[in-house]
Amino acid sequence: QVQLVESGGGVVQAGGSLRLSCAASGLTFSTKVMAWFRQAPGKEREFVAAISTSGDTTYYADSVKGRSTISRDNAKNTVNLLMNSLKPEDTAVYHCAARSWSYSGSADGYRYWGQGTQVTVSS
């Protein structure tokens, strides 16, 4: 049974930082592209960042590029997202997702999903 469990969300003031973590189990982690998506109330789920199976290549949405860093530890089956200079528009539920081998920026391309962790940025 595949499980993706996110942690690290919370309430932070604008300009602050948060580090989100996702712990994966029940899958061959090193063969999975890992990604973060977010969904704000009344909005579509949107791509935030992704990382290749080896961790050598990363992808970011324009909205978070330069403020965020995605990383993974294949020995620990974890993927992290460090977000700096947070803005109120970053407020959303952040989901971890996994797909086999190749990158996709579309939510439809990911087979496995976590339940999400709430990030709230106050102005």
Side-chain angles (χ1 to χ4, degrees):
Q1 178 184 356
V2 175
Q3 283 194 309
L4 301 178
V5 180
E6 301 94 338
S7 61
V11 179
V12 63
Q13 286 192 329
S17 299
L18 276 178
R19 182 174 178 267
L20 307 181
S21 295
C22 173
S25 60
L27 49 68
T28 307
F29 187 76
S30 62
T31 68
K32 298 295 185 281
V33 170
M34 299 301 297
W36 288 93
F37 287 78
R38 66 187 182 187
Q39 189 164 20
K43 294 190 176 181
E44 298 275 322
R45 189 167 294 192
E46 66 170 351
F47 171 76
V48 177
I51 188 166
S52 64
T53 55
S54 64
D56 288 348
T57 305
T58 56
Y59 311 84
Y60 296 95
D62 287 344
S63 58
V64 304
K65 195 176 294 182
R67 304 189 289 123
S68 299
T69 304
I70 188 171
S71 61
R72 67 188 294 159
D73 186 335
N74 284 353
K76 296 182 179 179
N77 287 8
T78 57
V79 59
N80 300 307
L81 180 68
L82 174 62
M83 301 184 68
N84 298 314
S85 302
L86 284 161
K87 306 174 182 179
E89 49 264 44
D90 293 319
T91 295
V93 176
Y94 284 71
H95 296 270
C96 174
R99 60 175 273 126
S100 292
W101 295 114
S102 61
Y103 161 74
S104 171
S106 169
D108 290 343
Y110 287 80
R111 179 175 181 183
Y112 303 110
W113 290 86
Q115 292 295 315
T117 185
Q118 176 71 47
V119 171
T120 302
V121 183
S122 61
S123 56

